[in-house]
Amino acid sequence: MSQGRIPFVAGNWKMHKTVAEAEMFISGLLPRVSSADGVDVAICVPFTALGAMVDSTRGSRAQVFAQNMHQAPSGAFTGEVSAAMLTELDVHGVVLGHSERRELFGESDAALAEKVPAALEAGLIPILCVGETEAERDGGETEAKLRRQVETDLAEVPRERLAEVVIAYEPIWAIGTGKVATPEQAQEACAFVRSLVAGIDADAGAAIRIQYGGSVKPDNAAELLALEDVDGALVGGASLEPASFAAIVEAARA
Ligand code: PEP
C-alpha cells in the first residue's frame, strides 16, 4: 500500500443474501467500520439487494456495488441490467469480469472493453477482475494472460480516466479455495498489472488502485495489504460475516 492511494476493501457476496439477510449483515457491519478512517469500503451485492443496501448505508462509510452490468444503455437483452439502472439507485460502482462470470457465463474481454468505459461514463467505479488459472500459472503464462486482459479490457478507457478504474488481481486458483497467493506472488502480479497500466499512462499507473483477491481472511489480510502494490482486497467468503469483513477492513488501516 503506497501513500496517496486510498486502500479499498470490497466484499463480493456473489449469490448470497436475501434482502432480510443483507439488512442483518449491514446492521452488524456499520458500527464495526464507522471509525475505519482512510479506507474505502464497499459491499458488492446481488441486484435484488441493491436498493435496500443503498438506503441502509446512506451517510455511512460503506459504498454499494453491483456484481455485473450490460454494456448497452438499453435493448433486447433479457435478464440484463444497464449502468443507468444502477446509477438511478445511487449504486457507487460495479464489479466487472469476475472469473465466475468469465468462466460460467461466457463474459468476454470484448464485452469488458465496452463495459469498463460504459461504467465510467455513467459515473460508476468499475472493479475490473483479472487473473490466471492454475494451469496458466504452472505453464508460465501468468503475465501473458494478465497483459491480454488488462490491455484489452482497458483499451477504450480515456487515458484521463484510467486512474478511476480499480483492478482486482484474482488468481483463479485462489478464489474460494482457501489457497491464498504468497505475498511474493501477490506483489509480483500486482506490480506487473501496475506496470501494464503505466505502459498506457505513467500517471495512471502510479495512481490506479489494485486489489488482491483470493481467499483473503482476517488472519492473512494484514500481510497482503501491506504489500507495496496491493491497495486493498476483493473478498468473497470472508465478506459474508460482519466480524470477519470488518477485521479485514481494519487490517487495511494499518
Ligand atoms: C472473490 O469472490 O472475488 C473471492 C476472492 O472469493 P474468496 O475470497 O472467497 O476467495
mmCIF file of all heavy atoms in Angstrom, residues 162-210:
data_model
loop_
_atom_site.group_PDB
_atom_site.id
_atom_site.type_symbol
_atom_site.label_atom_id
_atom_site.label_comp_id
_atom_site.label_asym_id
_atom_site.label_seq_id
_atom_site.Cartn_x
_atom_site.Cartn_y
_atom_site.Cartn_z
ATOM 1 N N LEU A 162 -8.320 6.654 -16.664
ATOM 2 C CA LEU A 162 -7.792 5.316 -16.329
ATOM 3 C C LEU A 162 -7.624 5.109 -14.821
ATOM 4 O O LEU A 162 -7.914 4.029 -14.294
ATOM 5 C CB LEU A 162 -6.411 5.149 -16.966
ATOM 6 C CG LEU A 162 -6.264 4.347 -18.242
ATOM 7 C CD1 LEU A 162 -4.793 4.298 -18.612
ATOM 8 C CD2 LEU A 162 -6.836 2.942 -18.086
ATOM 9 N N ALA A 163 -7.172 6.150 -14.128
ATOM 10 C CA ALA A 163 -6.878 6.004 -12.695
ATOM 11 C C ALA A 163 -8.129 5.813 -11.859
ATOM 12 O O ALA A 163 -8.039 5.441 -10.684
ATOM 13 C CB ALA A 163 -6.092 7.219 -12.203
ATOM 14 N N GLU A 164 -9.311 6.055 -12.453
ATOM 15 C CA GLU A 164 -10.564 5.864 -11.703
ATOM 16 C C GLU A 164 -10.973 4.399 -11.662
ATOM 17 O O GLU A 164 -11.813 4.007 -10.860
ATOM 18 C CB GLU A 164 -11.686 6.685 -12.338
ATOM 19 C CG GLU A 164 -11.461 8.175 -12.277
ATOM 20 C CD GLU A 164 -12.516 8.922 -13.080
ATOM 21 O OE1 GLU A 164 -13.713 8.705 -12.869
ATOM 22 O OE2 GLU A 164 -12.117 9.729 -13.959
ATOM 23 N N VAL A 165 -10.396 3.615 -12.564
ATOM 24 C CA VAL A 165 -10.699 2.178 -12.565
ATOM 25 C C VAL A 165 -9.978 1.543 -11.377
ATOM 26 O O VAL A 165 -8.909 1.984 -10.975
ATOM 27 C CB VAL A 165 -10.204 1.533 -13.887
ATOM 28 C CG1 VAL A 165 -10.437 0.030 -13.902
ATOM 29 C CG2 VAL A 165 -10.868 2.202 -15.082
ATOM 30 N N VAL A 166 -10.601 0.531 -10.789
ATOM 31 C CA VAL A 166 -9.933 -0.300 -9.779
ATOM 32 C C VAL A 166 -9.724 -1.663 -10.432
ATOM 33 O O VAL A 166 -10.632 -2.172 -11.100
ATOM 34 C CB VAL A 166 -10.809 -0.453 -8.515
ATOM 35 C CG1 VAL A 166 -10.164 -1.401 -7.513
ATOM 36 C CG2 VAL A 166 -11.078 0.917 -7.891
ATOM 37 N N ILE A 167 -8.526 -2.213 -10.296
ATOM 38 C CA ILE A 167 -8.279 -3.554 -10.843
ATOM 39 C C ILE A 167 -8.128 -4.523 -9.682
ATOM 40 O O ILE A 167 -7.411 -4.240 -8.715
ATOM 41 C CB ILE A 167 -7.013 -3.576 -11.726
ATOM 42 C CG1 ILE A 167 -7.178 -2.608 -12.917
ATOM 43 C CG2 ILE A 167 -6.738 -4.999 -12.236
ATOM 44 C CD1 ILE A 167 -5.972 -2.547 -13.853
ATOM 45 N N ALA A 168 -8.848 -5.639 -9.759
ATOM 46 C CA ALA A 168 -8.669 -6.702 -8.762
ATOM 47 C C ALA A 168 -7.867 -7.823 -9.404
ATOM 48 O O ALA A 168 -8.345 -8.454 -10.364
ATOM 49 C CB ALA A 168 -10.016 -7.219 -8.278
ATOM 50 N N TYR A 169 -6.651 -8.047 -8.894
ATOM 51 C CA TYR A 169 -5.878 -9.203 -9.351
ATOM 52 C C TYR A 169 -6.334 -10.402 -8.528
ATOM 53 O O TYR A 169 -6.144 -10.441 -7.309
ATOM 54 C CB TYR A 169 -4.374 -8.983 -9.181
ATOM 55 C CG TYR A 169 -3.636 -10.308 -9.308
ATOM 56 C CD1 TYR A 169 -3.639 -11.003 -10.517
ATOM 57 C CD2 TYR A 169 -3.008 -10.891 -8.211
ATOM 58 C CE1 TYR A 169 -3.031 -12.251 -10.627
ATOM 59 C CE2 TYR A 169 -2.385 -12.135 -8.315
ATOM 60 C CZ TYR A 169 -2.408 -12.801 -9.529
ATOM 61 O OH TYR A 169 -1.823 -14.038 -9.623
ATOM 62 N N GLU A 170 -6.975 -11.347 -9.212
ATOM 63 C CA GLU A 170 -7.508 -12.513 -8.516
ATOM 64 C C GLU A 170 -7.031 -13.793 -9.203
ATOM 65 O O GLU A 170 -7.609 -14.197 -10.225
ATOM 66 C CB GLU A 170 -9.039 -12.487 -8.528
ATOM 67 C CG GLU A 170 -9.636 -11.287 -7.830
ATOM 68 C CD GLU A 170 -11.031 -11.597 -7.299
ATOM 69 O OE1 GLU A 170 -11.898 -12.014 -8.073
ATOM 70 O OE2 GLU A 170 -11.236 -11.435 -6.095
ATOM 71 N N PRO A 171 -5.984 -14.423 -8.661
ATOM 72 C CA PRO A 171 -5.592 -15.719 -9.235
ATOM 73 C C PRO A 171 -6.758 -16.702 -9.041
ATOM 74 O O PRO A 171 -7.235 -16.885 -7.922
ATOM 75 C CB PRO A 171 -4.364 -16.112 -8.407
ATOM 76 C CG PRO A 171 -4.388 -15.264 -7.179
ATOM 77 C CD PRO A 171 -5.200 -14.046 -7.487
ATOM 78 N N ILE A 172 -7.206 -17.292 -10.144
ATOM 79 C CA ILE A 172 -8.440 -18.085 -10.086
ATOM 80 C C ILE A 172 -8.282 -19.280 -9.146
ATOM 81 O O ILE A 172 -9.219 -19.675 -8.457
ATOM 82 C CB ILE A 172 -8.846 -18.519 -11.523
ATOM 83 C CG1 ILE A 172 -9.175 -17.261 -12.340
ATOM 84 C CG2 ILE A 172 -10.044 -19.460 -11.510
ATOM 85 C CD1 ILE A 172 -9.306 -17.487 -13.832
ATOM 86 N N TRP A 173 -7.058 -19.799 -9.054
ATOM 87 C CA TRP A 173 -6.796 -20.949 -8.188
ATOM 88 C C TRP A 173 -6.891 -20.595 -6.703
ATOM 89 O O TRP A 173 -6.910 -21.477 -5.845
ATOM 90 C CB TRP A 173 -5.412 -21.548 -8.506
ATOM 91 C CG TRP A 173 -4.322 -20.528 -8.630
ATOM 92 C CD1 TRP A 173 -3.948 -19.875 -9.769
ATOM 93 C CD2 TRP A 173 -3.487 -20.012 -7.590
ATOM 94 N NE1 TRP A 173 -2.931 -18.996 -9.497
ATOM 95 C CE2 TRP A 173 -2.627 -19.061 -8.172
ATOM 96 C CE3 TRP A 173 -3.385 -20.273 -6.217
ATOM 97 C CZ2 TRP A 173 -1.676 -18.361 -7.438
ATOM 98 C CZ3 TRP A 173 -2.434 -19.583 -5.483
ATOM 99 C CH2 TRP A 173 -1.601 -18.629 -6.094
ATOM 100 N N ALA A 174 -6.971 -19.319 -6.411
ATOM 101 C CA ALA A 174 -7.055 -18.894 -5.005
ATOM 102 C C ALA A 174 -8.471 -18.482 -4.608
ATOM 103 O O ALA A 174 -8.718 -18.200 -3.436
ATOM 104 C CB ALA A 174 -6.082 -17.735 -4.753
ATOM 105 N N ILE A 175 -9.383 -18.443 -5.574
ATOM 106 C CA ILE A 175 -10.735 -17.955 -5.267
ATOM 107 C C ILE A 175 -11.575 -19.072 -4.674
ATOM 108 O O ILE A 175 -11.802 -20.101 -5.317
ATOM 109 C CB ILE A 175 -11.419 -17.387 -6.530
ATOM 110 C CG1 ILE A 175 -10.647 -16.169 -7.041
ATOM 111 C CG2 ILE A 175 -12.861 -17.018 -6.240
ATOM 112 C CD1 ILE A 175 -11.234 -15.542 -8.291
ATOM 113 N N GLY A 176 -12.006 -18.867 -3.445
ATOM 114 C CA GLY A 176 -12.894 -19.825 -2.779
ATOM 115 C C GLY A 176 -12.227 -21.142 -2.451
ATOM 116 O O GLY A 176 -12.905 -22.117 -2.121
ATOM 117 N N THR A 177 -10.913 -21.196 -2.533
ATOM 118 C CA THR A 177 -10.216 -22.467 -2.336
ATOM 119 C C THR A 177 -9.490 -22.528 -0.994
ATOM 120 O O THR A 177 -9.038 -23.596 -0.591
ATOM 121 C CB THR A 177 -9.142 -22.668 -3.435
ATOM 122 O OG1 THR A 177 -8.235 -21.555 -3.377
ATOM 123 C CG2 THR A 177 -9.767 -22.741 -4.810
ATOM 124 N N GLY A 178 -9.323 -21.380 -0.341
ATOM 125 C CA GLY A 178 -8.518 -21.335 0.874
ATOM 126 C C GLY A 178 -7.025 -21.340 0.572
ATOM 127 O O GLY A 178 -6.185 -21.312 1.474
ATOM 128 N N LYS A 179 -6.694 -21.369 -0.732
ATOM 129 C CA LYS A 179 -5.289 -21.430 -1.166
ATOM 130 C C LYS A 179 -4.863 -20.024 -1.552
ATOM 131 O O LYS A 179 -5.018 -19.604 -2.698
ATOM 132 C CB LYS A 179 -5.250 -22.333 -2.405
ATOM 133 C CG LYS A 179 -4.088 -23.250 -2.510
ATOM 134 C CD LYS A 179 -4.444 -24.326 -3.518
ATOM 135 C CE LYS A 179 -3.510 -24.333 -4.685
ATOM 136 N NZ LYS A 179 -3.851 -25.362 -5.657
ATOM 137 N N VAL A 180 -4.355 -19.267 -0.600
ATOM 138 C CA VAL A 180 -4.051 -17.862 -0.860
ATOM 139 C C VAL A 180 -2.699 -17.736 -1.575
ATOM 140 O O VAL A 180 -1.808 -18.570 -1.379
ATOM 141 C CB VAL A 180 -4.073 -17.090 0.484
ATOM 142 C CG1 VAL A 180 -2.957 -17.540 1.391
ATOM 143 C CG2 VAL A 180 -4.046 -15.595 0.282
ATOM 144 N N ALA A 181 -2.579 -16.721 -2.422
ATOM 145 C CA ALA A 181 -1.272 -16.465 -3.052
ATOM 146 C C ALA A 181 -0.267 -16.095 -1.969
ATOM 147 O O ALA A 181 -0.625 -15.494 -0.958
ATOM 148 C CB ALA A 181 -1.402 -15.321 -4.061
ATOM 149 N N THR A 182 0.989 -16.437 -2.190
ATOM 150 C CA THR A 182 2.013 -15.986 -1.247
ATOM 151 C C THR A 182 2.167 -14.471 -1.423
ATOM 152 O O THR A 182 1.838 -13.923 -2.490
ATOM 153 C CB THR A 182 3.374 -16.643 -1.532
ATOM 154 O OG1 THR A 182 3.828 -16.191 -2.820
ATOM 155 C CG2 THR A 182 3.288 -18.158 -1.503
ATOM 156 N N PRO A 183 2.689 -13.791 -0.411
ATOM 157 C CA PRO A 183 2.924 -12.348 -0.579
ATOM 158 C C PRO A 183 3.789 -12.058 -1.797
ATOM 159 O O PRO A 183 3.560 -11.087 -2.517
ATOM 160 C CB PRO A 183 3.632 -11.956 0.731
ATOM 161 C CG PRO A 183 3.161 -12.966 1.729
ATOM 162 C CD PRO A 183 2.974 -14.249 0.956
ATOM 163 N N GLU A 184 4.758 -12.919 -2.057
ATOM 164 C CA GLU A 184 5.633 -12.692 -3.220
ATOM 165 C C GLU A 184 4.828 -12.789 -4.521
ATOM 166 O O GLU A 184 4.997 -11.973 -5.430
ATOM 167 C CB GLU A 184 6.778 -13.722 -3.246
ATOM 168 C CG GLU A 184 7.784 -13.592 -2.120
ATOM 169 C CD GLU A 184 7.236 -14.042 -0.749
ATOM 170 O OE1 GLU A 184 6.300 -14.873 -0.706
ATOM 171 O OE2 GLU A 184 7.732 -13.526 0.265
ATOM 172 N N GLN A 185 3.971 -13.797 -4.611
ATOM 173 C CA GLN A 185 3.158 -13.956 -5.833
ATOM 174 C C GLN A 185 2.196 -12.776 -6.004
ATOM 175 O O GLN A 185 2.023 -12.259 -7.113
ATOM 176 C CB GLN A 185 2.344 -15.262 -5.763
ATOM 177 C CG GLN A 185 3.191 -16.514 -5.913
ATOM 178 C CD GLN A 185 2.391 -17.779 -5.606
ATOM 179 O OE1 GLN A 185 1.504 -17.789 -4.742
ATOM 180 N NE2 GLN A 185 2.706 -18.852 -6.295
ATOM 181 N N ALA A 186 1.569 -12.365 -4.909
ATOM 182 C CA ALA A 186 0.595 -11.263 -4.990
ATOM 183 C C ALA A 186 1.294 -9.967 -5.379
ATOM 184 O O ALA A 186 0.831 -9.232 -6.263
ATOM 185 C CB ALA A 186 -0.137 -11.100 -3.650
ATOM 186 N N GLN A 187 2.427 -9.684 -4.733
ATOM 187 C CA GLN A 187 3.160 -8.448 -5.034
ATOM 188 C C GLN A 187 3.646 -8.452 -6.484
ATOM 189 O O GLN A 187 3.504 -7.464 -7.205
ATOM 190 C CB GLN A 187 4.337 -8.276 -4.060
ATOM 191 C CG GLN A 187 5.352 -7.208 -4.446
ATOM 192 C CD GLN A 187 4.769 -5.804 -4.624
ATOM 193 O OE1 GLN A 187 3.740 -5.470 -4.024
ATOM 194 N NE2 GLN A 187 5.386 -4.996 -5.484
ATOM 195 N N GLU A 188 4.202 -9.577 -6.901
ATOM 196 C CA GLU A 188 4.753 -9.638 -8.256
ATOM 197 C C GLU A 188 3.657 -9.398 -9.307
ATOM 198 O O GLU A 188 3.838 -8.626 -10.247
ATOM 199 C CB GLU A 188 5.400 -11.014 -8.473
ATOM 200 C CG GLU A 188 6.145 -11.135 -9.774
ATOM 201 C CD GLU A 188 6.756 -12.526 -9.959
ATOM 202 O OE1 GLU A 188 6.144 -13.525 -9.537
ATOM 203 O OE2 GLU A 188 7.844 -12.608 -10.524
ATOM 204 N N ALA A 189 2.505 -10.048 -9.115
ATOM 205 C CA ALA A 189 1.432 -9.914 -10.104
ATOM 206 C C ALA A 189 0.828 -8.507 -10.066
ATOM 207 O O ALA A 189 0.545 -7.918 -11.122
ATOM 208 C CB ALA A 189 0.360 -10.968 -9.861
ATOM 209 N N CYS A 190 0.633 -7.961 -8.867
ATOM 210 C CA CYS A 190 0.037 -6.619 -8.780
ATOM 211 C C CYS A 190 0.999 -5.575 -9.352
ATOM 212 O O CYS A 190 0.576 -4.631 -10.027
ATOM 213 C CB CYS A 190 -0.368 -6.293 -7.342
ATOM 214 S SG CYS A 190 -1.802 -7.264 -6.799
ATOM 215 N N ALA A 191 2.287 -5.745 -9.098
ATOM 216 C CA ALA A 191 3.276 -4.813 -9.672
ATOM 217 C C ALA A 191 3.273 -4.928 -11.192
ATOM 218 O O ALA A 191 3.391 -3.925 -11.910
ATOM 219 C CB ALA A 191 4.671 -5.118 -9.120
ATOM 220 N N PHE A 192 3.101 -6.154 -11.697
ATOM 221 C CA PHE A 192 3.064 -6.331 -13.151
ATOM 222 C C PHE A 192 1.829 -5.646 -13.745
ATOM 223 O O PHE A 192 1.917 -4.951 -14.770
ATOM 224 C CB PHE A 192 3.087 -7.822 -13.505
ATOM 225 C CG PHE A 192 3.064 -8.057 -14.990
ATOM 226 C CD1 PHE A 192 4.157 -7.720 -15.781
ATOM 227 C CD2 PHE A 192 1.936 -8.578 -15.605
ATOM 228 C CE1 PHE A 192 4.135 -7.903 -17.160
ATOM 229 C CE2 PHE A 192 1.900 -8.762 -16.982
ATOM 230 C CZ PHE A 192 3.002 -8.435 -17.762
ATOM 231 N N VAL A 193 0.675 -5.824 -13.077
ATOM 232 C CA VAL A 193 -0.549 -5.161 -13.548
ATOM 233 C C VAL A 193 -0.342 -3.643 -13.543
ATOM 234 O O VAL A 193 -0.712 -2.941 -14.493
ATOM 235 C CB VAL A 193 -1.759 -5.567 -12.672
ATOM 236 C CG1 VAL A 193 -2.968 -4.686 -12.963
ATOM 237 C CG2 VAL A 193 -2.109 -7.038 -12.904
ATOM 238 N N ARG A 194 0.291 -3.132 -12.488
ATOM 239 C CA ARG A 194 0.536 -1.685 -12.433
ATOM 240 C C ARG A 194 1.441 -1.249 -13.599
ATOM 241 O O ARG A 194 1.225 -0.209 -14.215
ATOM 242 C CB ARG A 194 1.181 -1.308 -11.089
ATOM 243 C CG ARG A 194 1.293 0.207 -10.885
ATOM 244 C CD ARG A 194 1.842 0.572 -9.509
ATOM 245 N NE ARG A 194 1.095 0.010 -8.401
ATOM 246 C CZ ARG A 194 -0.124 0.386 -8.026
ATOM 247 N NH1 ARG A 194 -0.747 1.354 -8.664
ATOM 248 N NH2 ARG A 194 -0.740 -0.201 -7.010
ATOM 249 N N SER A 195 2.432 -2.072 -13.908
ATOM 250 C CA SER A 195 3.342 -1.701 -14.996
ATOM 251 C C SER A 195 2.602 -1.692 -16.338
ATOM 252 O O SER A 195 2.928 -0.898 -17.226
ATOM 253 C CB SER A 195 4.550 -2.644 -15.037
ATOM 254 O OG SER A 195 4.185 -3.888 -15.620
ATOM 255 N N LEU A 196 1.601 -2.569 -16.472
ATOM 256 C CA LEU A 196 0.817 -2.573 -17.715
ATOM 257 C C LEU A 196 0.024 -1.273 -17.844
ATOM 258 O O LEU A 196 -0.051 -0.684 -18.929
ATOM 259 C CB LEU A 196 -0.157 -3.767 -17.723
ATOM 260 C CG LEU A 196 0.479 -5.152 -17.808
ATOM 261 C CD1 LEU A 196 -0.590 -6.229 -17.623
ATOM 262 C CD2 LEU A 196 1.201 -5.342 -19.136
ATOM 263 N N VAL A 197 -0.564 -0.828 -16.744
ATOM 264 C CA VAL A 197 -1.324 0.434 -16.780
ATOM 265 C C VAL A 197 -0.353 1.591 -17.023
ATOM 266 O O VAL A 197 -0.627 2.494 -17.821
ATOM 267 C CB VAL A 197 -2.125 0.637 -15.481
ATOM 268 C CG1 VAL A 197 -2.870 1.972 -15.509
ATOM 269 C CG2 VAL A 197 -3.121 -0.516 -15.277
ATOM 270 N N ALA A 198 0.812 1.538 -16.373
ATOM 271 C CA ALA A 198 1.814 2.600 -16.566
ATOM 272 C C ALA A 198 2.284 2.652 -18.016
ATOM 273 O O ALA A 198 2.643 3.715 -18.530
ATOM 274 C CB ALA A 198 3.002 2.378 -15.629
ATOM 275 N N GLY A 199 2.244 1.493 -18.673
ATOM 276 C CA GLY A 199 2.625 1.452 -20.082
ATOM 277 C C GLY A 199 1.640 2.215 -20.957
ATOM 278 O O GLY A 199 1.991 2.679 -22.040
ATOM 279 N N ILE A 200 0.409 2.341 -20.481
ATOM 280 C CA ILE A 200 -0.587 3.136 -21.222
ATOM 281 C C ILE A 200 -0.452 4.605 -20.813
ATOM 282 O O ILE A 200 -0.463 5.501 -21.640
ATOM 283 C CB ILE A 200 -2.026 2.636 -20.916
ATOM 284 C CG1 ILE A 200 -2.153 1.129 -21.160
ATOM 285 C CG2 ILE A 200 -3.057 3.410 -21.745
ATOM 286 C CD1 ILE A 200 -3.456 0.513 -20.645
ATOM 287 N N ASP A 201 -0.318 4.825 -19.500
ATOM 288 C CA ASP A 201 -0.193 6.193 -18.991
ATOM 289 C C ASP A 201 0.554 6.137 -17.651
ATOM 290 O O ASP A 201 0.070 5.508 -16.697
ATOM 291 C CB ASP A 201 -1.585 6.809 -18.812
ATOM 292 C CG ASP A 201 -1.497 8.261 -18.364
ATOM 293 O OD1 ASP A 201 -1.374 8.504 -17.145
ATOM 294 O OD2 ASP A 201 -1.531 9.140 -19.228
ATOM 295 N N ALA A 202 1.689 6.782 -17.580
ATOM 296 C CA ALA A 202 2.551 6.656 -16.390
ATOM 297 C C ALA A 202 1.857 7.160 -15.129
ATOM 298 O O ALA A 202 1.927 6.522 -14.068
ATOM 299 C CB ALA A 202 3.853 7.423 -16.621
ATOM 300 N N ASP A 203 1.152 8.290 -15.220
ATOM 301 C CA ASP A 203 0.479 8.833 -14.038
ATOM 302 C C ASP A 203 -0.620 7.890 -13.572
ATOM 303 O O ASP A 203 -0.816 7.682 -12.373
ATOM 304 C CB ASP A 203 -0.129 10.207 -14.342
ATOM 305 C CG ASP A 203 0.953 11.261 -14.531
ATOM 306 O OD1 ASP A 203 2.100 11.015 -14.107
ATOM 307 O OD2 ASP A 203 0.651 12.324 -15.118
ATOM 308 N N ALA A 204 -1.358 7.331 -14.512
ATOM 309 C CA ALA A 204 -2.431 6.397 -14.140
ATOM 310 C C ALA A 204 -1.846 5.163 -13.471
ATOM 311 O O ALA A 204 -2.418 4.629 -12.514
ATOM 312 C CB ALA A 204 -3.248 6.008 -15.373
ATOM 313 N N GLY A 205 -0.700 4.713 -13.946
ATOM 314 C CA GLY A 205 -0.059 3.552 -13.332
ATOM 315 C C GLY A 205 0.276 3.796 -11.873
ATOM 316 O O GLY A 205 0.110 2.918 -11.025
ATOM 317 N N ALA A 206 0.718 5.009 -11.579
ATOM 318 C CA ALA A 206 1.070 5.332 -10.190
ATOM 319 C C ALA A 206 -0.164 5.491 -9.320
ATOM 320 O O ALA A 206 -0.123 5.233 -8.110
ATOM 321 C CB ALA A 206 1.899 6.618 -10.163
ATOM 322 N N ALA A 207 -1.273 5.926 -9.921
ATOM 323 C CA ALA A 207 -2.456 6.272 -9.123
ATOM 324 C C ALA A 207 -3.496 5.158 -9.029
ATOM 325 O O ALA A 207 -4.296 5.125 -8.084
ATOM 326 C CB ALA A 207 -3.119 7.522 -9.718
ATOM 327 N N ILE A 208 -3.518 4.251 -9.985
ATOM 328 C CA ILE A 208 -4.597 3.262 -10.034
ATOM 329 C C ILE A 208 -4.520 2.334 -8.822
ATOM 330 O O ILE A 208 -3.436 2.004 -8.347
ATOM 331 C CB ILE A 208 -4.545 2.463 -11.361
ATOM 332 C CG1 ILE A 208 -5.892 1.787 -11.626
ATOM 333 C CG2 ILE A 208 -3.399 1.441 -11.361
ATOM 334 C CD1 ILE A 208 -6.034 1.279 -13.064
ATOM 335 N N ARG A 209 -5.695 1.965 -8.313
ATOM 336 C CA ARG A 209 -5.708 1.068 -7.153
ATOM 337 C C ARG A 209 -5.862 -0.380 -7.618
ATOM 338 O O ARG A 209 -6.706 -0.695 -8.436
ATOM 339 C CB ARG A 209 -6.821 1.461 -6.197
ATOM 340 C CG ARG A 209 -6.496 2.801 -5.548
ATOM 341 C CD ARG A 209 -7.506 3.174 -4.520
ATOM 342 N NE ARG A 209 -8.815 3.421 -5.087
ATOM 343 C CZ ARG A 209 -9.874 3.724 -4.355
ATOM 344 N NH1 ARG A 209 -9.788 3.792 -3.047
ATOM 345 N NH2 ARG A 209 -11.036 3.957 -4.933
ATOM 346 N N ILE A 210 -5.012 -1.222 -7.053
ATOM 347 C CA ILE A 210 -5.014 -2.638 -7.417
ATOM 348 C C ILE A 210 -5.290 -3.451 -6.157
ATOM 349 O O ILE A 210 -4.548 -3.362 -5.172
ATOM 350 C CB ILE A 210 -3.675 -3.056 -8.059
ATOM 351 C CG1 ILE A 210 -3.420 -2.184 -9.311
ATOM 352 C CG2 ILE A 210 -3.692 -4.537 -8.420
ATOM 353 C CD1 ILE A 210 -2.080 -2.404 -9.971
#
